[in-house]
Amino acid sequence: IEVIRAALQLTSNLCVGNHAVQGAVWARLYPTMFRTLLNSIDKQVKNYVCSILFHCTAWNGSSALEEMTNEDEGKEMIRLCVGLCQPPNNLEWAQLFVEGLICVERFINMFEICKNDNLVFTLLEVLTEKVTTSSDPSKKQLFGELESAVPVTTFPIPG
């Protein structure tokens, strides 16, 4: 499992700000491998996958997000990620990924995807937390752009 974690961490770091890598990762892992990894029993694996999903979908012009929101497999992954924002998981990268999904004009889409799975309250909690914890007033705009420049992520590897 440590090798899988390290490979996912490396993949996530390579995706940061690199659209060519993001596209290649998306082409290789969507949807089957992402879905398999999101169903892992390991919490860290799920968190790393959410980090990759965040990086692959957070930039303007990404077709990955359109695929996810228009395909049944993608919608299922979105529901899994929203579920990872709930206890006992409360995964940080799931939270960031979902925050990115509810920015701009996609909130209604996300609501429609989650409404039949009792995940709407979680979606609203994520939105509320984003709005109430943001210190910069410009970031409090519910439908503002998500910052696409994200620092390289360093995940702790238990020794």
Side-chain angles (χ1 to χ4, degrees), residues 44-76:
Q44 278 303 106
V45 166
K46 293 175 186 181
N47 202 37
Y48 299 149
V49 172
C50 289
S51 172
I52 295 168
L53 288 172
F54 172 84
H55 293 302
C56 288
T57 61
W59 58 282
N60 287 333
S62 171
S63 62
L65 188 57
E66 288 301 313
E67 283 184 65
M68 282 191 91
T69 56
N70 292 322
E71 297 176 4
D72 289 339
E73 291 173 315
K75 291 176 184 179
E76 179 57 31

Side-chain angles (χ1 to χ4, degrees), residues 27-44:
R28 287 292 279 177
L29 301 182
Y30 179 82
T32 308
M33 187 56 71
F34 281 140
R35 185 179 56 248
T36 299
L37 292 167
L38 283 171
N39 284 307
S40 167
I41 59 169
D42 188 80
K43 216 171 148 175
Q44 278 303 106

Side-chain angles (χ1 to χ4, degrees), residues 12 15-19 22 51 54-62 93 100 103-104 106 130 139 144-152:
S12 175
C15 285
V16 175
N18 189 332
H19 302 313
Q22 292 165 355
S51 172
F54 172 84
H55 293 302
C56 288
T57 61
W59 58 282
N60 287 333
S62 171
W93 279 104
C103 287
V104 195
R106 293 186 293 267
K130 175 149 179 73
K139 290 184 180 181
E145 289 291 331
L146 181 66
E147 294 177 6
S148 61
V150 179
V152 172

Side-chain angles (χ1 to χ4, degrees), residues 60 99-108 141-146:
N60 287 333
E99 285 176 8
L101 293 176
I102 59 179
C103 287
V104 195
E105 65 276 351
R106 293 186 293 267
F107 181 78
I108 299 299
Q141 294 177 334
L142 295 181
F143 300 106
E145 289 291 331
L146 181 66

Side-chain angles (χ1 to χ4, degrees), residues 84-101:
L84 293 174
C85 295
Q86 299 173 322
N89 294 301
N90 296 326
L91 299 182
E92 177 184 10
W93 279 104
Q95 180 96 11
L96 290 169
F97 174 62
V98 172
E99 285 176 8
L101 293 176

